[in-house]
Amino acid sequence: MKRRPRLARVVGLTAGLAIATGSLTVVPASGAADQALAGYYNQKVEWAACVAGTAPPGIPQDEWEKEFAGLDCATIVVPLNYQKPADGNLSIAISRRKAADPAKRQGVLLLNPGGPGGPGLTMPNWMQEQKIAGPFDLIGFDPRGTGRSTALECEVPPILPIFETRPTDAQIAQIAADAEAMEKGCEAAGGGIRKYISTANTARDMDVIRGVLGEKKINFLGYSYGTYLGAVYGSLFPSKLNRSVLDSSMHPDWLYYEQAKQVSVAAKENYEALATWLAERDSRYHFGKTLAEVTATLNLVRARLAVRPVPWPIPGAGTPVDGVFFDIILGGSGYRPMWDLAAELIGLIRDAANAPEGKRKLSEDAGKALKIVYGEIKETYNGVFPAVSCEAVWSKDPKGYAEQMRIFRERYPYGPGAMQAGPTNCTYAKWTPQEKLVDLKRKGYPVGLVIGAEYDPATQYDGSPAMASALNNQLISVKDEGTHGQYGGNACATQKIDDYLINGILSGSRTTCDGAPRPDVPADGTSAAAKRSPGSLADRAAEAVAQGKSAWQH
């Protein structure tokens, strides 16, 4: 794909629920006298303090309870099928954090974290320190199929799917077989709900939320896939949307296979930026003096790790550092202020990989830092992502996917690498979506904001100017930034978003903010002396991760 110059280019049916009828009278957003849907809009919402319940595995109970502290929760009812409401109902869990400054209240601000499939019930608490918490009731919700709403699940396949950033041809065939097995598991567990889990229906649920809250209009802040959801809502219900912020936008024309592939394209861009920075500091890090030399050095390390992984320092506390983990590290170092720490960790992995048998090890401190910064590959299996991503057309030709994976294992092996170019369950899906994708347009609601980071590792930057152009919205670009989600993290973007949401002040049609600064490590040939960062690797990792989080990455 031809690339344009960067920054110039200005993702159980609950039966028997009764619909309560309150005093609120709201006409469905279409304005039509649709009596079949009126009851959903007119239902009475009953708020109560949120109950945290038992914390999920790995999360301390006290931290989990803090996620819900101060929030009100409620459950509303929506139709499974908006075209035939009599087919049954779903439950949608919603939450609210009331405006901290009631005298200046400006209505509600609906929040969505992305996914598709990301639950958002606790999002209002993520935003409680932001200025938007003053004038807005912050509204979170678990979209249909997720969290405490009616759940959609997939059966776990009998054999754990392989994850390989640079797969062999035999592994490419196995990845295809894994995808087919995943689809069979989703088909088996999806029941009658699956084909109604879609972006358009989630947008319709949002409008029911608006109705039961008694609001004529909503404001919206969505991240990642939530940007597409917000654009769909505005296209379906333009008279019901006020201000909208689409942070780290999906590309309106990349649904969903191309969007997936671009994750690995962005990972390579981040890798090359880091590797170039390393090459300029060879006297300190010793990887090579050019991008090509650094890449050759790291490819050799990767090859050795693929044959002989470096054991995790603490048995049972993490997975060995193999070639796949190394690719994830190399493609996942987008946060610029952490490059010096990343360089040290990569160097320690290199030294361990090159060491003779018996001495191939990492320190416990390095292991803790790696886990804080890069985590581990986690298996989750809610069925919403495999359902929503199938709302677009996927090729059924396995040869095309195999060809793309061969290309990606050579050109874009970093981060998730060739996995992003492989087939998914959607390749083998036999069911058809309920409806066509919504034609995105902004006609009838105010100009909004779209925000994109130049090296966004999850929704590649090109998506943001494309979405801004499709909707005739204002674009805020964050240059030399490799994180995903800017509101609450990047001070410049946050200030412009606050001005817009709170005061209605638009930024320029094309505005640029600086990303987080690169480490203060002098390049070779400069007079400045190199300084060693104080503190353990783990402490530095924890501090860097905390500083790099946006409100969305709570």
Side-chain angles (χ1 to χ4, degrees):
M1 182 187 305
K2 185 176 180 181
R3 314 254 324 165
R4 291 164 287 173
R6 305 200 65 82
L7 287 177
R9 308 165 274 184
V10 173
V11 168
L13 180 60
T14 302
L17 289 174
I19 301 176
T21 302
S23 59
L24 178 66
T25 301
V26 181
V27 178
S30 64
D34 191 342
Q35 295 303 314
L37 293 179
Y40 295 95
Y41 280 81
N42 293 343
Q43 64 187 294
K44 183 179 179 180
V45 60
E46 297 182 359
W47 294 105
C50 292
V51 177
T54 303
I59 300 179
Q61 185 65 34
D62 60 338
E63 292 185 12
W64 181 243
E65 291 177 358
K66 289 178 182 178
E67 292 285 318
F68 293 88
L71 283 180
D72 295 324
C73 283
T75 300
I76 66 169
V77 178
V78 298
L80 166 69
N81 179 1
Y82 278 86
Q83 296 177 9
K84 297 180 179 180
D87 283 358
N89 298 321
L90 304 179
S91 62
I92 301 296
I94 62 176
S95 64
R96 176 185 66 183
R97 188 175 186 91
K98 289 185 177 180
D101 190 350
K104 296 182 179 179
R105 185 182 181 275
Q106 296 189 40
V108 299
L109 177 64
L110 261 68
L111 307 167
N112 182 268
L121 202 64
T122 60
M123 275 193 82
N125 272 357
W126 305 357
M127 304 290 178
Q128 62 181 302
E129 301 300 325
Q130 304 300 323
K131 290 182 179 180
I132 55 174
F136 293 106
D137 286 354
L138 302 179
I139 306 297
F141 68 103
D142 287 345
R144 56 172 56 202
T146 70
R148 298 185 182 186
S149 296
T150 301
L152 173 65
E153 301 294 337
C154 290
E155 290 183 1
V156 176
I159 300 175
L160 185 67
I162 66 171
F163 188 97
E164 177 55 61
T165 54
R166 308 183 192 196
T168 63
D169 284 359
Q171 289 173 324
I172 287 175
Q174 183 58 52
I175 289 168
D178 290 344
E180 186 172 14
M182 291 174 69
E183 173 56 26
K184 290 179 179 179
C186 289
E187 183 179 9
I193 182 178
R194 190 179 180 207
K195 69 177 182 178
Y196 300 106
I197 304 296
S198 67
T199 305
N201 279 336
T202 298
R204 294 178 179 113
D205 295 344
M206 287 169 55
D207 201 58
V208 173
I209 293 172
R210 176 198 61 77
V212 300
L213 295 179
E215 300 288 336
K216 292 183 178 180
K217 295 176 182 284
I218 64 168
N219 302 284
F220 179 80
L221 168 59
Y223 295 89
S224 196
Y225 162 79
T227 62
Y228 178 58
L229 175 61
V232 168
Y233 180 83
S235 300
L236 292 177
F237 304 101
S239 67
K240 306 305 178 184
L241 180 59
N242 187 29
R243 295 168 188 163
S244 58
V245 175
L246 311 182
D247 190 339
S248 305
S249 183
M250 288 180 63
H251 196 298
D253 301 324
W254 288 353
L255 304 174
Y256 284 86
Y257 181 53
E258 185 62 30
Q259 188 76 56
K261 291 196 297 182
Q262 289 295 323
V263 171
S264 293
V265 172
K268 183 180 181 181
E269 292 174 344
N270 275 300
Y271 162 74
E272 290 186 341
L274 170 63
T276 300
W277 185 84
L278 293 173
E280 295 168 348
R281 292 156 179 82
D282 181 57
S283 63
R284 181 180 178 113
Y285 298 116
H286 313 297
F287 292 108
K289 296 182 178 180
T290 65
L291 172 60
E293 289 180 2
V294 172
T295 299
T297 298
L298 297 177
N299 277 341
L300 181 58
V301 173
R302 200 272 182 196
R304 288 173 175 166
L305 290 170
V307 177
R308 295 190 307 161
V310 171
W312 196 258
I314 307 172
T319 58
V321 181
D322 58 8
V324 172
F325 195 176
F326 196 59
D327 278 337
I328 290 171
I329 291 170
L330 295 180
S333 299
Y335 184 51
R336 272 54 179 163
M338 204 156 47
W339 274 359
D340 55 341
L341 175 62
E344 291 180 46
L345 291 171
I346 293 168
L348 291 172
I349 295 172
R350 171 199 59 198
D351 296 343
N354 292 338
E357 201 64 48
K359 296 184 178 181
R360 303 175 65 257
K361 60 182 181 180
L362 295 169
S363 69
E364 183 175 331
D365 183 32
K368 290 179 179 178
L370 283 170
K371 197 165 187 177
I372 290 170
V373 176
Y374 301 105
E376 297 180 75
I377 301 171
K378 298 179 180 178
E379 299 297 329
T380 59
Y381 218 44
N382 174 267
V384 171
F385 188 98
V388 173
S389 55
C390 294
E391 67 186 2
V393 175
W394 287 72
S395 169
K396 304 297 182 182
D397 177 18
K399 293 182 180 179
Y401 292 104
E403 179 181 353
Q404 286 296 301
M405 293 189 81
R406 293 187 187 101
I407 292 172
F408 269 63
R409 73 186 177 190
E410 299 297 328
R411 297 182 187 174
Y412 309 107
Y414 306 107
M419 291 298 299
Q420 295 298 115
T424 72
N425 68 290
C426 299
T427 307
Y428 302 96
K430 297 177 182 178
W431 62 286
T432 55
Q434 181 197 19
E435 59 187 312
K436 294 181 180 180
L437 293 174
V438 174
D439 182 23
L440 300 184
K441 57 184 179 297
R442 185 180 61 78
K443 186 177 181 181
Y445 68 94
V447 177
L449 298 184
V450 178
I451 299 89
E454 185 178 9
Y455 291 92
D456 190 317
T459 49
Q460 202 265 1
Y461 172 76
D462 285 357
S464 292
M467 183 66 83
S469 178
L471 300 178
N472 290 318
N473 276 345
Q474 312 292 86
L475 174 67
I476 299 173
S477 298
V478 184
K479 64 182 181 181
D480 196 30
E481 179 59 66
T483 59
H484 184 55
Q486 301 306 308
Y487 182 72
N490 181 275
C492 169
T494 299
Q495 181 265 321
K496 293 181 184 301
I497 293 169
D498 283 337
D499 273 354
Y500 166 69
L501 286 175
I502 298 170
N503 304 313
I505 300 173
L506 285 166
S507 59
S509 60
R510 294 294 184 267
T511 305
T512 301
C513 288
D514 290 330
R518 298 183 177 197
D520 185 18
V521 179
D524 293 348
T526 61
S527 58
K531 298 179 181 179
R532 290 291 174 184
S533 300
S536 69
L537 294 170
D539 288 344
R540 290 165 56 198
E543 181 181 359
V545 168
Q547 291 177 347
K549 281 186 176 180
S550 70
W552 167 78
Q553 296 167 312
H554 178 79

